Amino acid sequence: MEGKDIDFEDPTIRDDSAAGSPSRGPSAVWARCECMRSPAAERDVRLEVPVTAGGDMDGGGVLGHGGLRLLICFLGVFVCYFYYGILQETITRGTYGEGENKEKFRYALSLVFVQCVVNAIFAKLLIQFFDTKAKPDRTQSWLYAACSLSYLGAMVSSNSALQYVNYPTQVLGKSCKPIPVMLLGVTVLRKKYPLTKYLCVLLIVVGVALFMYKPKNTGPSGDDHVFGYGELLLLLSLTLDGLTGVSQDHMRAHFQTGSNQMMLHINLWSSLFLGAGIVFSGEVWEFMSFTERYPSIIYNILLFSLTSALGQTFIFMTVVYFGPLTCSIITTTRKFFTILASVILFSNPISGLQWVGTLLVFLGLGLDAKFGKGSKKPSH
């Protein structure tokens, strides 16, 4: 969980981290993954893991040669999060019922609650089978609780935004995660970034501005707002994503928190907070009533949560065996094709100017993955 990230995405995870301390073999891979996302995650991935010696095209192992392993990682990330995006739009923007009884799904808290429970179960399984030799977790519980609040806020805001904006707008907005991460890194953590990083972020900002720009004469659709509730929710989600990243940086720096431990405890705290919220607000009963009227949505929700958790596994594998650059290229490509699929499958209109803005955003993300990795030293 996107990333990160850890910011979850599609999740909450960040894709743009550097390699960290050395590993001693496959058994240490999961113990060294230093990110939790996270739907948005598809929250991008921030992993502090090394590329293993088998990370080139000659690698062997269970998955065979490096080329086959890369293909499996690519298809795993692409298929899981591609389907994740389609399910998210189907659940949150679909119409249920017929005639005058048509209604929308408006239970964002309950949706995220199910996702957090599935993520926690998945993380527990990873710890059980892959982190058997991991060091004891010494991270303070209040840090997990604080991080889970910003993580929750980002996920709920992102899902709620789909009630007001189309899916391409949401995906593009969540792709701007480098902006709040950089701002908070400079202001809170006193980091210094290379000039190329600022130029890439500027390119992203220009692309978003072009995408959000709407001429006064918008035609018969009447969609003449420039910045409404949906955009505010996306801005809130991005800000909380940045705070989540800062919290996770603190945990990694001071407690060497492992990714699976982080994923487990943050999702447990999130499940606790959300469980209390949906019970005291009464949403849980409305959500259960909704699922009784439309039982097919239960399958979509469970599959939506499972694709998010499973997609993170393939992201971890990609970073471990091929590095964060390859992972960034795969996830950025996936996001672009998710927008394209949303336009085709759900008839979400995008103007020529918005396509230009979209291309600029993904160009900035791609250049940032390639050239924006300079050292980030704290200022004194």
Side-chain angles (χ1 to χ4, degrees), residues 36-279:
M36 177 181 65
R37 178 166 326 217
S38 343
E42 171 207 19
R43 301 261 176 116
D44 295 343
V45 183
R46 190 180 308 181
L47 302 176
E48 294 185 3
V49 294
V51 181
T52 65
D56 55 16
M57 297 305 292
D58 297 326
V62 178
L63 297 180
H65 295 293
L68 178 60
R69 181 185 290 124
L70 178 61
L71 178 63
I72 291 176
C73 289
F74 172 80
L75 291 177
V77 172
F78 195 93
V79 171
C80 286
Y81 281 116
F82 187 84
Y83 196 34
Y84 170 91
I86 293 176
L87 287 169
Q88 186 181 38
E89 187 162 14
T90 301
I91 294 169
T92 57
R93 293 182 63 84
T95 301
Y96 302 86
E98 298 179 355
E100 297 180 354
N101 295 324
K102 286 184 178 180
E103 53 184 320
K104 294 280 190 179
F105 182 87
R106 302 185 182 279
Y107 311 103
L109 292 178
S110 300
L111 177 63
V112 177
F113 172 76
V114 175
Q115 188 175 359
C116 288
V117 171
V118 173
N119 285 339
I121 295 173
F122 199 81
K124 182 63 176 178
L125 293 176
L126 291 179
I127 293 173
Q128 185 73 25
F129 293 103
F130 294 98
D131 270 0
T132 55
K133 297 182 180 180
K135 295 180 180 179
D137 182 32
R138 303 183 185 280
T139 309
Q140 297 177 357
S141 296
W142 72 267
L143 283 174
Y144 282 133
C147 187
S148 70
L149 290 176
S150 59
Y151 163 63
L152 273 180
M155 292 184 68
V156 173
S157 299
S158 178
N159 286 329
S160 299
L162 285 173
Q163 298 179 14
Y164 304 96
V165 299
N166 58 29
Y167 191 71
T169 301
Q170 192 244 31
V171 172
L172 197 73
K174 295 293 287 182
S175 299
C176 300
K177 205 169 296 180
I179 298 175
V181 169
M182 173 180 283
L183 291 176
L184 289 169
V186 171
T187 58
V188 178
L189 300 181
R190 303 298 183 184
K191 289 185 176 181
K192 289 185 177 180
Y193 295 90
L195 179 60
T196 51
K197 187 81 170 180
Y198 290 100
L199 293 177
C200 291
V201 170
L202 178 62
L203 196 61
I204 294 173
V205 171
V206 173
V208 172
L210 290 177
F211 188 90
M212 300 301 296
Y213 173 74
K214 295 181 177 66
K216 293 182 179 179
N217 186 14
T218 56
S221 64
D223 186 17
D224 57 355
H225 82 280
V226 177
F227 204 85
Y229 290 117
E231 289 78 7
L232 284 174
L233 287 170
L234 286 177
L235 182 60
L236 175 62
S237 179
L238 284 174
T239 303
L240 293 173
D241 274 340
L243 291 174
T244 302
V246 170
S247 301
Q248 291 160 354
D249 281 343
H250 178 79
M251 285 188 279
R252 283 192 292 264
H254 292 81
F255 301 98
Q256 292 76 48
T257 310
S259 63
N260 295 328
Q261 291 288 349
M262 190 181 293
M263 181 178 177
L264 172 63
H265 289 94
I266 289 181
N267 278 285
L268 284 177
W269 277 102
S270 299
S271 301
L272 177 63
F273 290 144
L274 280 174
I278 60 178
V279 169

